[in-house]
């Protein structure tokens, strides 16, 4: 991945991300969308995990919630693109998740 920064955010399959992973994830979002001095047209973050059903989707849902989406709306948007994504334990985590950022509007989208 020449020229593309890669960050591993490991956590157990089927689980919710631990605090350390959430902090790293929010730092990546901030560095990509909010901290550049100049607007970065087309800035994006690619997220993946082994099957694409749990770990990556739950991080994307956190980004949507941080942007102001309701948790179940975020889950539905993700499940619309990736059937079977986000298990019950992860849904419970997302419903209980409280946004940490004051700034909204990172223009998150699922491609």
């Amino acid at each position: 991945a020449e020229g593309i920064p890669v960050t591993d955010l490991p956590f157990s399959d089927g689980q919710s991300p631990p605090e350390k992973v959430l902090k790293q994830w929010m730092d990546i979002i901030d560095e990509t969308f909010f901290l550049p001095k100049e607007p970065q047209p087309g800035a994006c973050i690619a997220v993946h995990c082994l099957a694409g059903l749990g770990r990556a989707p739950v991080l994307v849902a956190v980004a949507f919630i941080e942007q102001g989406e309701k948790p179940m709306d975020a889950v539905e948007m993700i499940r619309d693109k990736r059937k079977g994504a986000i298990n019950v334990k992860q849904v419970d985590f997302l419903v209980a998740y409280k946004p940490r950022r004051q700034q909204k509007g990172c223009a998150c989208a699922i491609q």
Side-chain angles (χ1 to χ4, degrees):
E2 188 174 326
I4 300 173
V6 176
T7 305
D8 289 321
L9 301 175
F11 62 99
S12 298
D13 193 22
Q15 302 300 310
S16 300
E19 186 60 36
K20 179 181 176 182
V21 169
L22 287 171
K23 182 182 180 334
Q24 290 175 290
W25 176 235
M26 295 312 303
D27 288 347
I28 291 168
I29 291 171
D30 286 342
E31 290 166 9
T32 303
F33 299 109
F34 296 110
L35 296 180
K37 296 197 185 319
E38 297 292 323
Q40 303 294 312
C44 68
I45 300 171
V47 185
H48 77 90
C49 59
L50 185 63
L53 295 173
R55 290 169 288 195
V58 80
L59 289 176
V60 172
V62 166
F64 281 131
I65 294 166
E66 288 288 343
Q67 165 178 306
E69 292 291 337
K70 294 178 183 169
M72 288 311 297
D73 290 345
V75 170
E76 291 305 315
M77 282 191 291
I78 292 165
R79 286 180 172 168
D80 186 52
K81 299 288 184 182
R82 186 74 170 117
K83 304 295 184 225
I86 308 178
N87 67 32
V88 172
K89 184 185 292 189
Q90 292 166 328
V91 168
D92 291 343
F93 164 80
L94 293 168
V95 167
Y97 181 82
K98 301 291 183 227
R100 299 145 189 247
R101 301 173 69 250
Q102 298 300 317
Q103 192 170 8
K104 303 283 187 220
C106 73
C108 297
I110 300 173
Q111 299 276 331

